[in-house]
Amino acid sequence: MPLRNIVVLTDRPDRGRALAEAARPVANCRMAGPTDDWIGLNHVRGVIADLSLERTEAQRCLGVLSRRLDGRPLPMAYVMRTMRDGELKQAEKLGATACFPPHALPRTIVTGLFRQIAPEKTMTELLVEHSFDRAELLFTDMFRAGRRGRIDLAAADDEIDPILHAMEDGGLWRWLDLVQAHDDMTVRHCLLVAGLAAHFMLHLRLSIGDRRSFVRAALVHDVGKTKIPLEILLKPGALTAEEMKVMRAHAALGHEMLLASGMTDRLALAVTRHHHEMLDGSGYPDGLSGAAISDPVRLLTICDIYAALTEDRPYRAAMSQAKALEILRGMAPAKLELALVEAFAASLAGDGAVSQADNMALSGRINSANRGTARS
Ligand SMILES: [Fe+2]
Ligand SMILES: [Fe+2]
């Protein structure tokens, strides 16, 4: 998917940085000064120009940029030094498609530019799409590296905050729509679980630190699948007992891969190893039961099962939300904790079906689990 690139062209580095910062949640941003040579300029969708019109540099520099873009006209937000008629006309002559007063807020300028670049989309949609584009590229790389044995955990961590921001902005359903369109099943599944986990933890009012941990865990929990032969992973029919054994190895394999890659986050390690454990001891790889399965693992397991049920899989079509919730409820209380399933359902409905007091109690349990009592 082509990334959305914009250029911030400025002769005031501080102001330029603020503009680039405001644009980063929705676009890849290249900051440039008047002497930039524009080497490696690709897929540019718009320009923010913050150049004094009193100097001839603005003219020269925008002329060079225009030649680099083969004269293709682009939306250009011009940050004026004054709003005098003469200057406005000059900016327009240089290609400005919108002019902003000198003290306009960076966010206002970015929003104005994107109203021209993508008038059909809201800023929330743009934010979710951009987070998804970044995460998609990163995870495609990460899983390729996973097949070779070692994954770049720092790069994965860079994707945590964009996903959290996308959810905070109310973008769960847009996120799920975008993710469902991805064709790599494992990447799609991890992004789906990450979005669901971020949304669920926001609903439970967990601290930002805990939410980061949950999203990190969700992103890497199935990394062991990169070691499973594709003919088993993508088999359209039921797996044989032997194939099932191979498939089930992904939990322990993922855990080993994370340790070998230097993962120290206990929650991510526990979730990766234990996200297929069930309260009645029927899960794998360690057959844990009851209290041996920590609260964070129980929560991620619910997100994981819901994601799997609502995805298209080679062996069956995606289920509706209602059907998936019915299955989750049917697994409680033997395999899953009913209160957690109901809290998850309420997070999807966004209807406050779980009271604030219940949420606080749940988040208290999770906080104490994260502080050092993770049992897995
Ligand atoms: Fe799994
Ligand atoms: Fe999974």
Side-chain angles (χ1 to χ4, degrees):
M1 199 177 295
L3 289 173
R4 208 176 280 121
N5 296 333
I6 68 160
V7 169
V8 173
L9 180 55
T10 183
D11 53 14
R12 301 183 294 182
D14 282 356
R15 177 79 163 152
R17 265 192 290 277
L19 287 162
E21 210 50 52
R24 234 161 241 138
V26 291
N28 284 345
C29 204
R30 168 158 168 177
M31 207 171 106
T35 55
D36 202 280
D37 54 11
W38 306 113
I39 301 284
L41 199 62
N42 288 315
H43 305 300
V44 178
R45 305 279 304 275
V47 177
I48 297 178
D50 172 46
L51 293 169
S52 168
L53 288 162
E54 281 173 4
R55 293 166 27 192
T56 51
E57 274 170 337
Q59 224 165 339
R60 191 199 58 79
C61 164
L62 286 167
V64 176
L65 174 60
S66 169
R67 281 195 292 283
R68 283 275 181 208
L69 297 169
D70 299 326
R72 187 165 47 96
L74 283 179
M76 183 194 293
Y78 212 105
V79 188
M80 306 299 296
R81 298 295 190 267
T82 78
M83 294 298 273
R84 282 197 291 269
D85 256 11
E87 286 215 3
L88 288 170
K89 281 200 184 104
Q90 203 184 340
E92 247 174 69
K93 229 170 111 189
L94 290 175
T97 54
C99 293
F100 291 85
H103 300 297
L105 292 174
R107 194 180 158 86
T108 308
I109 297 165
V110 169
T111 304
L113 179 68
F114 275 92
R115 269 206 197 111
Q116 299 191 343
I117 293 176
E120 72 289 0
K121 291 190 172 150
T122 64
M123 289 303 275
T124 298
E125 283 177 317
L126 292 170
L127 181 139
V128 172
E129 282 178 11
H130 189 57
S131 297
F132 176 76
D133 289 348
R134 283 173 45 121
E136 181 190 30
L137 278 183
L138 178 106
F139 277 89
T140 306
D141 280 356
M142 192 174 104
F143 282 101
R144 221 172 272 144
R147 289 189 182 106
R148 293 194 300 270
R150 200 178 156 87
I151 55 175
D152 183 354
L153 296 175
D157 268 11
D158 286 346
E159 293 317 305
I160 294 174
D161 281 352
I163 291 174
L164 285 170
H165 289 151
M167 294 309 129
E168 276 165 16
D169 240 43
L172 176 67
W173 301 106
R174 183 80 186 120
W175 179 267
L176 298 184
D177 277 352
L178 287 168
V179 173
Q180 294 286 17
H182 198 288
D183 55 0
D184 182 309
M185 194 176 72
T186 304
V187 174
R188 180 179 66 202
H189 172 71
C190 290
L191 291 175
L192 210 49
V193 179
L196 289 164
H199 182 78
F200 189 16
M201 301 313 142
L202 195 63
H203 177 79
L204 295 180
R205 297 185 173 81
L206 290 199
S207 69
I208 181 73
D210 284 340
R211 278 188 276 141
R212 281 202 183 102
S213 246
F214 270 97
V215 173
R216 177 182 295 116
L219 289 173
V220 298
H221 79 281
D222 265 340
V223 70
K225 282 190 181 167
T226 59
K227 299 281 193 195
I228 306 300
L230 287 179
E231 57 273 23
I232 294 181
L233 203 59
L234 303 178
K235 185 174 173 181
L239 297 182
T240 64
E242 195 47 43
E243 288 166 339
M244 186 63 87
K245 213 171 126 192
V246 174
M247 182 67 152
R248 288 184 164 193
H250 80 273
L253 279 172
H255 184 248
E256 279 166 29
M257 283 169 71
L258 291 185
L259 286 174
S261 304
M263 173 66 87
T264 54
D265 185 321
R266 287 152 38 102
L267 196 152
L269 288 167
V271 163
T272 301
R273 186 168 182 96
H274 294 309
H275 64 279
H276 290 286
E277 303 286 5
M278 296 290 138
L279 291 177
D280 60 4
S282 62
Y284 60 90
D286 298 316
L288 299 184
S289 63
I293 305 172
S294 68
D295 291 329
V297 171
R298 294 177 188 204
L299 290 170
L300 255 299
T301 296
I302 291 169
C303 298
D304 181 46
I305 298 172
Y306 177 86
L309 293 173
T310 54
E311 283 165 53
D312 274 322
R313 291 284 170 107
Y315 45 89
R316 62 150 172 75
M319 284 176 199
S320 67
Q321 177 183 333
K323 180 74 192 155
L325 287 176
E326 188 190 317
I327 291 177
L328 282 173
R329 287 186 173 114
M331 292 174 76
K335 296 179 187 297
L336 301 174
E337 186 176 331
L338 186 59
L340 299 185
V341 172
E342 291 304 345
F344 177 73
S347 82
L348 292 185
D351 63 359
V354 168
S355 72
Q356 194 167 340
D358 287 341
N359 276 355
M360 296 306 282
L362 280 175
S363 76
R365 273 173 55 180
I366 293 150
N367 288 338
S368 58
N370 281 354
R371 271 195 299 272
T373 56
R375 281 155 279 182
S376 38

